[in-house]
Amino acid sequence: MLSFGTAGCNSGCRFCQNFGIAKARSIDKLSVGASPEKIAQIAASRGIDSVAFTYNDPIVFAEYAIDTAQACRALGIHPIAVTAGYMSAEARPDFYAAMDAANIDLKGFTEDFYWKVTGTHLADVLATIDYAVNEARTPEGEHVWVELTTLLIPGLNDDDAQLHAECTWIGEHLGPDVPLHFSAFHPSYRIMDVPPTPHETLTRARAIALAEGLHYVYVGNVHDREGDTTYCPNPQCHAKLIERDWYRIIADRLSASSGGNGHCPQCGTAIAGRW
């Protein structure tokens, strides 16, 4: 995957992990010019099959992201948005119609947390997530593939009540097959007095999500082979399908090249995803 971003952001997260980019003025960071066509050509020349708009939120460079997505798609390259989902209803259709997939941050599950810590509003993000999962379509008419990420910050958004509420909402509004990633926080930007997320917190959050009926729940920013692995959701099977350790894939039994073709090779259950 080829990843790139620009400068600036429409969220004010006090824990921003990329604040050097997100909080910079364009003039401070724009040192290399790249047209949408050039980005697509670079990816194609290196055999890269997907391009991600990330580091800062692509909604702040939506027109550029859309043009780049179209240039990528013309060369058979998949455009992917990594976003906080804070955008207006008017912006959603054009933005998500340009994407094949999106990873959307669901940063917490109370309005108080969202407003005080990110400067944005939970309801707007939930509306975007709902739209992206249930309504957005690619030009070919397929659903946009959406995954969610929650960065767990000790004492701010990691209590059981928020976690249960978040997972209940996901199950009721999006269904159990939308992957959810719980990531470890590391002190950054304006939250330097909070310790890193304990591994036990990630494990607890994952257990809550699975108990709420979500099928694909992962932990991130830590080494945890069990928490990084995709399992068959069939309760009578639960076979290991894609084994991972952080970003390293140890075994893949799902892809077409390995013979899985998107189905559990042990019980035949269809596995949600793009294979």
Side-chain angles (χ1 to χ4, degrees), residues 28-68:
D28 297 325
K29 292 295 177 182
L30 294 181
S31 58
V32 178
S35 68
E37 293 74 20
K38 182 177 181 180
I39 292 172
Q41 289 164 4
I42 289 172
S45 68
R46 300 186 181 186
I48 298 170
D49 63 3
S50 59
V51 169
F53 316 119
T54 183
Y55 305 123
N56 66 319
D57 201 301
I59 193 60
V60 304
F61 58 95
E63 295 85 356
Y64 180 40
I66 291 169
D67 289 347
T68 303

Side-chain angles (χ1 to χ4, degrees), residues 62-131:
E63 295 85 356
Y64 180 40
I66 291 169
D67 289 347
T68 303
Q70 292 170 345
C72 288
R73 192 174 272 120
L75 297 181
I77 298 166
H78 301 291
I80 301 171
V82 181
T83 170
Y86 188 58
M87 62 183 70
S88 68
E90 292 77 11
R92 292 172 194 140
D94 288 344
F95 183 82
Y96 283 100
M99 304 299 160
D100 283 350
N103 186 293
I104 304 177
D105 288 338
L106 181 50
K107 297 176 184 289
F109 212 75
T110 67
E111 171 61 18
D112 185 67
F113 171 86
Y114 255 89
W115 179 242
K116 290 181 179 178
V117 182
T118 77
T120 62
H121 298 289
L122 174 60
D124 296 315
V125 174
L126 294 182
T128 294
I129 293 171
D130 194 311
Y131 176 86

